[in-house]
Amino acid sequence: MQDKTLICKDCGGQFVFSVRDQQFYAEKGFENEPQRCRECRGARKTQRSSSAERDMYEAVCAQCATPTTVPFKPRGDRPVYCRACFALHAPARV
Ligand SMILES: [Zn+2]
Ligand SMILES: [Zn+2]
C-alpha cells in the first residue's frame, strides 16, 4: 500500500488517503474510499450533530396504535408511545 491522493467531493481540494487510513478502512471493511478531505468531513460532522435531525424509526404507539416515529430503535422491551401518549406517560421532568 502507499499513500493515495484523492479529490474532495465538497471543496475539490486534494487530500491524502494515507496508508494508515487505508488500513483503518480495510479493517473496518469499508469498500469506498473517503470522498471528502478531513476538513470537510469535520465540517459535516459538526453540522450534523448540531442539527436537530436524528435518525428516526417507525413505530406504533402502544397506547392508541397510531403510527409514529421515535428517535431510537424500538426494541420491544419497552412500549413505544406517540407524542401525545408519551406526554401522558413520561414521568414529569424537573
Ligand atoms: Zn474538502
Ligand atoms: Zn398514542
Side-chain angles (χ1 to χ4, degrees), residues 39-58:
E39 286 76 26
C40 291
R41 265 185 286 166
R44 286 175 74 89
K45 218 184 254 178
T46 348
Q47 263 175 18
R48 218 180 303 165
S49 59
S50 64
S51 86
E53 268 180 57
R54 284 201 273 167
D55 287 348
M56 297 298 279
Y57 296 89
E58 292 189 21

Side-chain angles (χ1 to χ4, degrees), residues 14-40:
Q14 293 188 342
F15 65 98
V16 174
F17 186 27
S18 69
V19 170
R20 223 175 50 183
D21 285 352
Q22 292 177 47
Q23 283 167 347
F24 175 78
Y25 266 60
E27 259 170 45
K28 295 276 174 190
F30 297 154
E31 292 188 355
N32 297 319
E33 294 178 337
Q35 308 280 306
R36 293 175 184 86
C37 68
R38 205 172 284 276
E39 286 76 26
C40 291

